Amino acid sequence: MEYDLECESVSKRFGSVLAVDSVSCGIPSGSFFSILGPSGCGKTTLMRMIAGFEEPDSGDTRIEGQSVVATPPNRRNVKMVFQHLALFPMMNVGENIAYGLRCRGADKAEIARRIDDVLERINLPGVAHREIHQLSGGQKQRIAIARCMVLEPALLLLDEPLGALDLKLRESMKIELKQLQHRFGTTFVYITHDQSEALVMSDHVAVMRNGKFEQVGSPQELYRHPQTAFVAEFVGDSNQWHGRVAGRDGSEVKVEADDGPPVIGVEGGGQNLAEGAAVRVFVRPEHIRMQPLGAAAEPAPEPGRNGEQGKIDSLLFNGGNSRVLVRTASDRLIEVDLPDADSAAELREGEDVALSWPRARTMCFSSSE
Amino acid sequence: MGSKDARRLFLILLFMPFALWIILLIALPNIGMFILSLQEKVGPRVYTYGIANYVEFVNEPIYWNTLLRTATISLLVTALTLLIGFPVAYYIAKIAKKQSKGALFLLCLIPLWVSDLVRAFGWILLLRETGVVSGALQWLGLIDQPVELLYNDVTVVIGLIYTVILFMIVPLVSTLDGMDDSLVEAGFNLGGGRATVLRRIIIPYAMPGIVAGCIVVFMLTAGSYLTPILLGGKNSMWFTEQIYDQFITRYNWESGATFGVLLLVFTSAVVWLGLRLSGQTLAGTVAKS
């Protein structure tokens, strides 16, 4: 596979803090790659090293196969969309886009043609003479991207550019960004702390924590098969319990929960849990099935599933993403997804329900890490 | 109604000191000066109105030469102050760490705690024939007899820069402080070198501060009296010295008033021209910083 960006054990230390700890990765050409992590995990430092604003203490960075460690930022074929976009306020839209071309020494006719062309591609034709402050938030985003893309970089870095937008606009910009990436065919490296942004847009996501990549994979892989407790917790929503391993049977482990009935689950991330080890158990709300208990006798748990009973504590109505909070007999709250918005109408708070979820979807991770 | 009237009274009282200051100390004296400058003496205590004082100014080359000289040196001082002040301001606003910013700013302010006069005498102590610099050069064997470093244009320019540089640094720091670092980084990221980033991003961004600093520095320099007289001596040929001469030495108030009005009009014209050339407005620069 061809890589536009390769990092080889890149490290960076600030005083006593190891911000980036020996990160290695290869980003395939033309893909949308996200680095997802909480604030302070080192993702911004890593990106600033790729752009050339910070020098790595050790390791190598290669862009299109060429080592760029000794290359100053203005000579790297990497362009960046800054968190607050950093559009030049004293220049109009056209001048902002022309800046990079003029630095390269392109002639006037060429510049004018390229500006028209790139504005066309971002669906904002004819705004070249507008001032920056006359643009809306979404338009500014697109101009910031156009200003970089007009230089045809090998790699476009995006540093949480959607953070400042309101929710509605953010949702539509996610789709827009993904489409722009398809249209330009350039490799995008997107930095974010918002897991939904990373999942929706990316071909590959790296989850970063304490300066290291915890897991790199497609959004589906990260969501379905998290390798560590951190990834399971950070990507998507989960019900989470603590407990201890009470026994095992092949690939399944029996977990004695700290505050509830025992459950049977599978080990996540190919680890081998010893008996008695403290574990964290994750179950996603959409894997839990809920049935009204009614007058019928207690249903026997189906094979291969965990079960528990409780009362509906509250309904969390949110259109298609509605949820129910169920308080179990052991007094813990479990979040359950509703299959559709209509079923919310049939449920009453205080109703008795039976919950069940597959053992294969009950992920157990050692809680020592 | 009562509370509305009280509010009104309160606002009037708030505004009063400013209004009194403008009217009594700025508008009235200048109007008085202007009227005085239009008076011609035709006999003892007999005056008529006319522009004879202005005609005299035009006909006497030494007068308008002094004014032009004052303006030229003031412009030179302004340019040099900008050249020296900009890196200092950039360092304080963008490079220095947060903790040391305040201390550095304070260091710039310290000279203002000493009066103008004392500072000028400080320079005299350093630069006179028997002064510190001359003595040190002799001790080092670089010269074999005392040199007089006072009373020349270079000394006047240095002394003026020293007096006014703070008024350049303050507006520059406040403008540069407001500049997001990512603008500079974006400038590099998009392929600009150091010179390009300075010329196309930092300076245009700092333009309001540059213009504000230049206006204040130019006005202060052109209107300064102590520094050019003490450091430049008899040769300084500073226009404010002419005004002083007319009022005090020759007791020719009409002519002194004429010069005063001319200085105000001339320096204002220079500032207006500067604003036109840089494409800035007074409200967008001095009023902002």
Side-chain angles (χ1 to χ4, degrees):
Chain A
M1 201 186 284
E2 208 177 306
Y3 295 108
D4 270 338
L5 171 74
E6 290 162 279
C7 292
E8 206 177 290
S9 16
V10 173
S11 295
K12 177 75 185 178
R13 183 180 283 280
F14 291 115
S16 61
V17 182
L18 194 56
V20 175
D21 185 1
S22 193
V23 166
S24 297
C25 63
I27 297 175
S29 297
S31 66
F32 198 122
F33 188 92
S34 289
I35 300 175
L36 171 67
S39 56
C41 73
K43 55 188 193 296
T44 301
T45 308
L46 179 62
M47 190 174 58
R48 289 175 62 80
M49 286 194 285
I50 298 169
F53 297 129
E54 305 280 354
E55 218 171 296
D57 294 333
S58 61
D60 193 16
T61 313
R62 285 188 294 275
I63 291 164
E64 293 179 309
Q66 301 281 316
S67 174
V68 292
V69 173
T71 313
N74 54 340
R75 297 274 161 78
R76 296 188 185 200
N77 197 13
V78 170
K79 302 300 160 217
M80 180 162 166
V81 176
F82 288 80
Q83 192 164 12
H84 302 292
L85 306 179
L87 292 169
F88 305 131
M90 54 282 178
M91 304 181 195
N92 67 24
V93 170
E95 288 164 343
N96 261 283
I97 297 173
Y99 174 85
L101 294 168
R102 281 173 65 176
C103 288
R104 277 190 186 171
D107 63 65
K108 267 196 179 148
E110 162 92 356
I111 290 175
R113 194 180 57 72
R114 297 275 282 270
I115 290 175
D116 285 345
D117 182 49
V118 81
L119 287 177
E120 196 77 46
R121 287 172 86 173
I122 59 162
N123 294 328
L124 282 176
V127 297
H129 296 290
R130 294 244 196 107
E131 293 299 324
I132 295 302
H133 62 84
Q134 294 173 315
L135 301 177
S136 71
Q139 288 173 327
K140 282 183 192 165
Q141 294 277 343
R142 285 188 269 172
I143 296 301
I145 293 166
R147 187 174 74 168
C148 296
M149 295 314 296
V150 76
L151 300 170
E152 293 167 352
L155 197 67
L156 183 70
L157 303 172
L158 300 107
D159 183 9
E160 307 200 24
L162 303 187
L165 300 179
D166 59 70
L167 188 71
K168 202 89 182 168
L169 190 54
R170 202 153 62 210
E171 293 302 320
S172 68
M173 275 311 290
K174 276 186 209 170
I175 299 162
E176 174 102 28
L177 263 177
K178 176 97 182 148
Q179 287 176 334
L180 277 175
Q181 194 260 336
H182 271 299
R183 220 175 299 158
F184 285 106
T186 306
T187 310
F188 277 32
V189 176
Y190 190 90
I191 302 280
T192 184
H193 64 264
D194 182 327
Q195 47 111 2
S196 92
E197 283 177 17
L199 295 182
V200 167
M201 295 189 281
S202 319
D203 300 315
H204 298 278
V205 180
V207 179
M208 197 170 179
R209 179 203 189 192
N210 295 337
K212 284 185 166 154
F213 280 179
E214 288 261 319
Q215 188 178 352
V216 184
S218 69
Q220 289 92 330
E221 273 166 25
L222 290 179
Y223 191 80
R224 295 218 185 102
H225 307 292
Q227 298 293 303
T228 67
F230 178 77
V231 176
E233 188 178 17
F234 198 73
V235 178
D237 292 333
S238 295
N239 293 292
Q240 195 188 142
W241 307 305
H242 291 264
R244 279 184 186 284
V245 178
R248 51 188 307 147
D249 174 19
S251 64
E252 292 183 340
V253 285
K254 189 175 183 196
V255 175
E256 206 73 64
D258 289 351
D259 52 356
V263 290
I264 293 169
V266 291
E267 293 164 324
Q271 42 184 357
N272 212 346
L273 295 167
E275 207 158 313
V279 289
R280 289 160 80 185
V281 179
F282 295 90
V283 179
R284 302 225 184 263
E286 72 265 28
H287 293 140
I288 302 178
R289 194 167 71 204
M290 186 172 71
Q291 286 169 315
L293 209 47
E298 190 175 314
E302 294 168 53
R305 292 181 80 90
N306 291 302
E308 206 174 343
Q309 292 177 13
K311 273 184 198 309
I312 294 180
D313 186 84
S314 41
L315 293 166
L316 311 174
F317 183 77
N318 182 20
N321 306 318
S322 299
R323 285 197 177 153
V324 176
L325 271 180
V326 175
R327 190 175 292 279
T328 64
S330 51
D331 203 35
R332 63 184 179 194
L333 285 169
I334 297 181
E335 265 186 65
V336 182
D337 264 7
L338 287 176
D340 55 84
D342 295 338
S343 55
E346 298 161 12
L347 297 168
R348 295 279 166 275
E349 285 179 16
E351 200 173 328
D352 288 311
V353 289
L355 304 176
S356 74
W357 61 94
R359 290 175 184 176
R361 299 292 189 199
T362 311
M363 300 175 289
C364 305
F365 294 94
S366 163
S367 54
S368 57
E369 50 173 285
Chain B
M1 279 307 275
S3 76
K4 204 173 170 187
D5 285 345
R7 229 176 97 88
R8 228 188 186 157
L9 183 68
F10 180 69
L11 284 177
I12 289 172
L13 284 176
L14 261 185
F15 186 65
M16 203 45 90
F18 178 73
L20 287 176
W21 178 64
I22 286 283
I23 294 167
L24 295 180
L25 296 176
I26 295 181
L28 280 182
N30 276 298
I31 293 168
M33 285 266 278
F34 183 64
I35 293 170
L36 194 60
S37 75
L38 290 175
Q39 288 183 342
E40 292 169 30
K41 200 170 187 176
V42 289
R45 298 184 187 218
V46 186
Y47 295 93
T48 60
Y49 285 98
I51 56 160
N53 293 314
Y54 291 91
V55 174
E56 194 195 339
F57 171 84
V58 174
N59 288 335
E60 192 63 70
I62 189 137
Y63 291 155
W64 49 265
N65 272 337
T66 311
L67 182 58
L68 283 181
R69 185 183 137 84
T70 304
T72 316
I73 295 186
S74 297
L75 283 175
L76 179 71
V77 167
T78 308
L80 289 173
T81 309
L82 178 61
L83 278 180
I84 301 169
F86 196 86
V88 176
Y90 192 82
Y91 185 87
I92 293 177
K94 290 282 121 186
I95 299 171
K97 296 213 167 60
K98 270 224 169 67
Q99 308 92 293
S100 50
K101 250 183 209 182
L104 285 171
F105 216 56
L106 205 64
L107 275 180
C108 289
L109 275 172
I110 281 176
L112 275 196
W113 294 355
V114 182
S115 101
D116 257 4
L117 190 65
V118 176
R119 282 188 288 162
F121 277 119
W123 278 105
I124 291 175
L125 272 179
L126 286 176
L127 298 176
R128 65 181 171 179
E129 215 170 344
T130 53
V132 176
V133 174
S134 173
L137 288 175
Q138 283 178 76
W139 183 78
L140 286 167
L142 292 171
I143 49 171
D144 46 17
Q145 58 188 31
V147 281
E148 179 59 85
L149 295 166
L150 284 174
Y151 315 127
N152 60 59
D153 287 352
V154 177
T155 311
V156 172
V157 168
I158 292 175
L160 281 170
I161 291 174
Y162 168 73
T163 322
V164 296
I165 194 161
L166 187 76
F167 297 95
M168 184 66 86
I169 291 176
V170 171
L172 281 178
V173 168
S174 77
T175 337
L176 287 171
D177 227 10
M179 183 173 74
D180 192 349
D181 288 345
S182 62
L183 284 183
V184 175
E185 287 182 345
F188 284 118
N189 181 259
L190 293 166
R194 281 169 189 276
T196 313
V197 171
L198 181 69
R199 188 171 52 85
R200 301 229 21 229
I201 293 162
I202 300 175
I203 290 179
Y205 190 95
M207 211 48 178
I210 292 173
V211 172
C214 285
I215 290 175
V216 173
V217 162
F218 177 75
M219 288 308 232
L220 280 177
T221 312
S224 69
Y225 179 73
L226 263 176
T227 313
I229 302 306
L230 289 176
L231 299 183
K234 287 261 177 283
N235 306 326
S236 70
M237 300 253 299
W238 209 253
F239 198 66
T240 49
E241 195 188 0
Q242 294 278 5
I243 299 176
Y244 178 88
D245 265 2
Q246 296 295 339
F247 272 109
I248 308 297
T249 317
R250 301 173 60 179
Y251 212 70
N252 187 348
W253 279 49
E254 295 75 31
S255 181
T258 309
F259 288 6
V261 170
L262 283 169
L263 180 64
L264 179 67
V265 170
F266 189 71
T267 49
S268 303
V270 171
V271 167
W272 176 81
L273 196 68
L275 284 171
R276 282 299 296 270
L277 289 178
S278 64
Q280 301 284 327
T281 61
L282 210 53
T285 54
V286 181
K288 244 188 187 169
S289 51

